[in-house]
Amino acid sequence: MDKRYEKLLACRDYVRGRTDFVPRVALVLGSGLGGFASELEVACEIPYADIPGFPVSTVPGHAGKFIFGLLEGVPVVCMQGRVHFYEGYAIDDVVLPARLMKLLGAEILFLTNASGGVNRDFSAGDLMLITDHLLMFFPQNPLIGPNIDELGPRFPDMSHIYDPALCALIRETARENGVALREGVYCQLTGPSFESPAEIRALGALGVDAVGMSTAVEAVAANHCGLRVCGVSCVSNKAAGLSPVPLTHEEVQEAANEAAPRFTALVRRSIAKMG
Ligand code: HPA
């Protein structure tokens, strides 16, 4: 059997030894949603470090665990913390959690993150519905290697990576709850350095609205294995060259914290409708 699939099954078996909770929605908590778990009626928590072979993040503020519970009656698993390619993890490990969600029975992967605004109309604190992405500059497609046939096809279609019906649901939820929501194309680069102004100008010319260091590889792996995917990004800063001040991780975290109440409300109300 494929070694990557074996590892996935071992992770699944470990989780299944701790809980029989079957999530409908798997939610990846990006910057700004770290406190989201308090919205749940918690059934079970599993630190990533307990799960044999599961990748554990090294980034401050990203310490990881699964939190299983009900959100307005909808069975949800929150992933508090994710690993990034820039930490040095193999791409297979970066997308392992998304695939594990499928093996645990989830139907929907809801991705969130913080990003830099490339679109000049965007300001720090804006929320953006991700409608499509650019992964063409990323050094490694997450599906490279022998295809894991148990998960999906060799050449999966990516015409609708972010499920149109889920996008419509999130748009409608934002409107109903008076939450301003931008939408656009997200580009994942490796990081960990922020972009140069020339890179941001180039991305803008290519139609990118926001740039970040996560999410698109997870979306591709999730699509491959048949999860429905949606995503919302918190634009935490204007991208390099679009603002007079240098970018810092602290600025990203501050803006994400400021947006947290709106972000939480939008995600909570959207998931309630996914039940
Ligand atoms: N660039 C890349 N990733 C980011 C940014 C940025 O400006 N802000 C938050 N994550």
Coordinates of all heavy atoms in Angstrom, one line a residue, residues 82 84 111-116 118 122 128-136 162 183-189 195 203 207-219 231-235:
R82 N -2.3 24.8 11.9 CA -2.0 24.0 10.6 C -0.5 24.1 10.4 O 0.1 25.0 11.0 CB -2.8 24.5 9.4 CG -2.6 26.0 9.1 CD -2.6 26.3 7.6 NE -3.9 26.2 6.9 CZ -4.8 27.2 6.8 NH1 -4.6 28.4 7.4 NH2 -5.9 27.1 6.1
H84 N 2.7 24.6 7.8 CA 3.0 25.3 6.5 C 4.2 24.7 5.8 O 5.1 24.2 6.5 CB 3.2 26.8 6.8 CG 2.1 27.5 7.5 ND1 1.9 27.4 8.9 CD2 1.1 28.3 7.0 CE1 0.9 28.1 9.2 NE2 0.3 28.6 8.1
L111 N -11.9 26.4 4.7 CA -10.6 26.9 4.9 C -10.6 28.4 5.3 O -11.3 29.1 4.7 CB -9.7 26.7 3.7 CG -9.5 25.2 3.3 CD1 -9.1 25.1 1.8 CD2 -8.5 24.6 4.2
T112 N -9.8 28.8 6.3 CA -9.7 30.2 6.6 C -8.2 30.5 6.7 O -7.4 29.6 7.0 CB -10.4 30.6 7.9 OG1 -9.8 30.0 9.0 CG2 -11.9 30.2 7.8
N113 N -7.8 31.8 6.5 CA -6.4 32.2 6.6 C -6.4 33.7 6.8 O -7.4 34.4 6.7 CB -5.7 31.7 5.4 CG -6.1 32.4 4.1 OD1 -6.7 33.5 4.1 ND2 -6.0 31.7 3.0
A114 N -5.1 34.2 6.9 CA -4.9 35.6 6.8 C -4.1 35.8 5.5 O -3.3 34.9 5.1 CB -4.0 36.1 8.0
S115 N -4.3 37.0 4.9 CA -3.6 37.2 3.6 C -3.2 38.7 3.5 O -3.7 39.5 4.3 CB -4.5 36.8 2.5 OG -5.7 37.6 2.5
G116 N -2.4 38.9 2.5 CA -2.1 40.3 2.1 C -3.0 40.7 1.0 O -3.2 40.0 0.0
V118 N -3.8 42.3 -2.3 CA -3.1 42.7 -3.6 C -4.0 43.7 -4.3 O -3.6 44.6 -4.9 CB -2.8 41.5 -4.5 CG1 -2.2 41.9 -5.8 CG2 -1.9 40.5 -3.7
F122 N -8.7 46.8 -1.4 CA -8.8 46.1 -0.1 C -8.1 46.8 1.0 O -7.0 47.4 0.7 CB -8.3 44.7 -0.2 CG -9.1 43.7 -1.1 CD1 -10.2 44.1 -1.8 CD2 -8.7 42.4 -1.2 CE1 -11.0 43.3 -2.5 CE2 -9.5 41.5 -1.9 CZ -10.6 41.9 -2.6
M128 N -12.5 38.3 2.7 CA -12.6 37.9 1.3 C -13.0 36.5 1.1 O -12.3 35.6 1.6 CB -11.3 38.2 0.6 CG -11.4 38.0 -0.9 SD -9.8 38.0 -1.8 CE -9.4 36.2 -1.8
L129 N -14.2 36.3 0.4 CA -14.6 35.0 0.0 C -13.6 34.5 -1.1 O -13.4 35.2 -2.1 CB -16.0 35.0 -0.5 CG -16.6 33.7 -1.1 CD1 -16.8 32.7 0.0 CD2 -17.9 34.0 -1.9
I130 N -13.0 33.4 -0.9 CA -12.1 32.9 -2.0 C -12.9 32.2 -3.0 O -13.6 31.2 -2.8 CB -11.0 31.9 -1.4 CG1 -10.2 32.6 -0.2 CG2 -10.1 31.4 -2.4 CD1 -9.3 31.6 0.5
T131 N -12.9 32.7 -4.3 CA -13.7 32.1 -5.3 C -12.8 31.3 -6.3 O -13.3 30.4 -7.0 CB -14.4 33.2 -6.2 OG1 -13.4 34.1 -6.6 CG2 -15.4 33.9 -5.3
D132 N -11.5 31.5 -6.2 CA -10.6 30.7 -7.1 C -9.2 30.9 -6.6 O -9.0 31.8 -5.7 CB -10.7 31.0 -8.6 CG -10.3 29.9 -9.5 OD1 -9.7 28.9 -9.0 OD2 -10.5 30.0 -10.7
H133 N -8.2 30.2 -7.1 CA -6.9 30.4 -6.6 C -5.8 30.2 -7.7 O -6.1 29.7 -8.8 CB -6.6 29.5 -5.4 CG -6.3 28.1 -5.7 ND1 -6.6 27.1 -4.8 CD2 -5.7 27.4 -6.7 CE1 -6.3 25.9 -5.3 NE2 -5.7 26.1 -6.4
L134 N -4.6 30.7 -7.4 CA -3.5 30.5 -8.3 C -2.4 29.7 -7.4 O -2.0 30.1 -6.4 CB -2.8 31.8 -8.6 CG -2.8 32.3 -10.1 CD1 -4.2 32.6 -10.5 CD2 -1.9 33.5 -10.2
L135 N -2.1 28.5 -8.0 CA -1.1 27.7 -7.3 C 0.1 27.5 -8.2 O 1.0 26.8 -7.9 CB -1.7 26.4 -6.9 CG -0.9 25.5 -5.9 CD1 -0.5 26.2 -4.6 CD2 -1.7 24.2 -5.6
M136 N 0.1 28.2 -9.3 CA 1.1 28.0 -10.4 C 2.5 28.4 -10.0 O 3.5 27.9 -10.6 CB 0.7 28.7 -11.7 CG 0.5 30.2 -11.5 SD -0.5 31.0 -12.8 CE 0.6 31.1 -14.1
Y162 N -13.5 25.9 -5.4 CA -14.3 26.4 -4.2 C -15.8 26.3 -4.7 O -16.2 26.9 -5.6 CB -13.9 27.9 -3.9 CG -12.4 27.9 -3.6 CD1 -11.4 28.0 -4.6 CD2 -12.0 27.7 -2.2 CE1 -10.1 28.0 -4.2 CE2 -10.6 27.7 -1.9 CZ -9.7 27.8 -2.9 OH -8.3 27.7 -2.6
E183 N -14.7 39.5 -2.5 CA -14.4 38.2 -3.0 C -13.4 38.3 -4.0 O -13.1 39.4 -4.6 CB -15.7 37.5 -3.5 CG -16.5 38.2 -4.5 CD -17.7 37.3 -4.9 OE1 -18.7 37.4 -4.1 OE2 -17.6 36.5 -5.8
G184 N -12.7 37.2 -4.2 CA -11.6 37.2 -5.2 C -10.7 36.0 -5.3 O -11.0 35.0 -4.6
V185 N -9.6 36.2 -6.0 CA -8.7 35.1 -6.3 C -7.5 35.2 -5.3 O -6.9 36.2 -5.1 CB -8.2 35.2 -7.7 CG1 -7.1 34.2 -8.0 CG2 -9.3 35.1 -8.7
Y186 N -7.2 34.0 -4.7 CA -6.2 33.9 -3.7 C -5.0 33.2 -4.3 O -5.1 32.2 -5.0 CB -6.7 33.1 -2.5 CG -5.7 32.8 -1.4 CD1 -5.4 33.7 -0.4 CD2 -5.0 31.6 -1.5 CE1 -4.5 33.4 0.6 CE2 -4.0 31.3 -0.5 CZ -3.8 32.2 0.5 OH -2.9 31.9 1.5
C187 N -3.8 33.7 -4.1 CA -2.6 33.1 -4.6 C -1.7 32.6 -3.4 O -1.4 33.4 -2.5 CB -1.7 34.1 -5.4 SG -0.2 33.4 -6.0
Q188 N -1.4 31.3 -3.4 CA -0.5 30.8 -2.4 C 1.0 30.8 -2.8 O 1.3 30.2 -3.9 CB -0.9 29.4 -2.0 CG 0.1 28.8 -0.9 CD -0.3 27.4 -0.3 OE1 -1.3 26.8 -0.8 NE2 0.4 26.9 0.6
L189 N 1.8 31.4 -2.1 CA 3.3 31.4 -2.3 C 3.8 30.6 -1.1 O 3.1 30.4 -0.1 CB 3.9 32.8 -2.4 CG 3.3 33.6 -3.6 CD1 3.9 35.0 -3.5 CD2 3.6 33.0 -4.9
E195 N 6.3 39.1 0.3 CA 6.6 39.3 -1.1 C 7.4 40.6 -1.3 O 7.3 41.5 -0.5 CB 5.3 39.4 -1.9 CG 4.5 38.1 -1.9 CD 3.8 37.9 -0.5 OE1 3.5 38.9 0.1 OE2 3.7 36.7 -0.1
L203 N 1.6 39.9 -9.4 CA 0.4 39.1 -9.1 C -0.8 39.9 -9.4 O -1.8 39.4 -9.9 CB 0.4 38.8 -7.6 CG 1.5 37.8 -7.1 CD1 1.4 37.5 -5.6 CD2 1.4 36.4 -7.9
G207 N -4.3 39.2 -11.9 CA -5.7 39.0 -11.4 C -5.8 38.5 -10.0 O -6.9 38.1 -9.6
V208 N -4.7 38.5 -9.3 CA -4.8 38.0 -7.9 C -5.3 39.2 -7.0 O -4.9 40.3 -7.2 CB -3.3 37.6 -7.4 CG1 -3.3 37.4 -5.9 CG2 -2.9 36.4 -8.2
D209 N -6.1 38.8 -6.1 CA -6.7 39.8 -5.1 C -6.1 39.7 -3.7 O -6.0 40.7 -3.0 CB -8.2 39.5 -5.0 CG -8.9 39.8 -6.3 OD1 -9.0 41.0 -6.7 OD2 -9.4 38.8 -6.9
A210 N -5.6 38.5 -3.4 CA -5.0 38.3 -2.0 C -3.9 37.3 -2.1 O -4.0 36.3 -2.9 CB -6.0 38.0 -1.0
V211 N -2.9 37.4 -1.3 CA -1.8 36.5 -1.3 C -1.5 36.0 0.1 O -1.6 36.7 1.1 CB -0.5 37.2 -1.9 CG1 0.0 38.4 -1.1 CG2 0.6 36.2 -2.1
G212 N -1.1 34.7 0.2 CA -0.8 34.1 1.5 C 0.1 32.9 1.4 O 0.6 32.6 0.3
M213 N 0.2 32.2 2.5 CA 1.2 31.1 2.6 C 0.5 29.8 2.9 O 1.2 28.9 3.5 CB 2.3 31.4 3.6 CG 3.0 32.8 3.4 SD 4.1 33.2 4.6 CE 4.5 34.9 4.3
S214 N -0.7 29.6 2.7 CA -1.4 28.4 3.0 C -2.6 28.2 2.1 O -2.8 28.9 1.1 CB -2.0 28.4 4.5 OG -3.0 29.4 4.6
T215 N -3.4 27.2 2.4 CA -4.8 27.1 1.8 C -4.9 26.4 0.5 O -5.7 25.5 0.3 CB -5.5 28.5 1.8 OG1 -5.6 28.9 3.2 CG2 -6.9 28.4 1.3
A216 N -4.2 27.0 -0.6 CA -4.5 26.4 -1.9 C -4.1 25.0 -2.1 O -4.8 24.2 -2.7 CB -3.8 27.3 -3.0
V217 N -3.0 24.6 -1.4 CA -2.6 23.2 -1.5 C -3.6 22.3 -0.8 O -3.9 21.2 -1.3 CB -1.1 22.9 -1.0 CG1 -0.1 23.6 -1.9 CG2 -0.9 23.4 0.4
E218 N -4.1 22.8 0.3 CA -5.1 22.0 1.0 C -6.4 21.9 0.2 O -7.0 20.8 0.1 CB -5.4 22.7 2.4 CG -4.3 22.7 3.3 CD -4.2 23.9 4.2 OE1 -3.6 24.9 3.8 OE2 -4.8 23.9 5.3
A219 N -6.7 23.0 -0.5 CA -7.9 23.0 -1.4 C -7.8 22.0 -2.5 O -8.7 21.2 -2.8 CB -8.2 24.4 -1.9
G231 N -13.7 28.7 1.3 CA -12.7 29.4 2.0 C -13.0 30.9 2.2 O -13.5 31.6 1.3
V232 N -12.6 31.5 3.3 CA -12.7 32.9 3.6 C -11.3 33.4 4.1 O -10.7 32.7 5.0 CB -13.8 33.3 4.6 CG1 -13.8 34.7 4.9 CG2 -15.1 32.8 4.0
S233 N -10.8 34.5 3.6 CA -9.5 35.0 4.0 C -9.7 36.3 4.7 O -10.5 37.1 4.3 CB -8.7 35.2 2.7 OG -7.4 35.6 3.1
C234 N -9.0 36.5 5.8 CA -8.9 37.8 6.4 C -7.8 38.6 5.9 O -6.6 38.2 6.1 CB -8.8 37.6 7.9 SG -8.6 39.1 8.8
V235 N -8.0 39.6 5.2 CA -7.0 40.5 4.6 C -6.4 41.3 5.8 O -7.0 42.2 6.3 CB -7.5 41.4 3.5 CG1 -6.4 42.3 3.0 CG2 -8.2 40.6 2.4

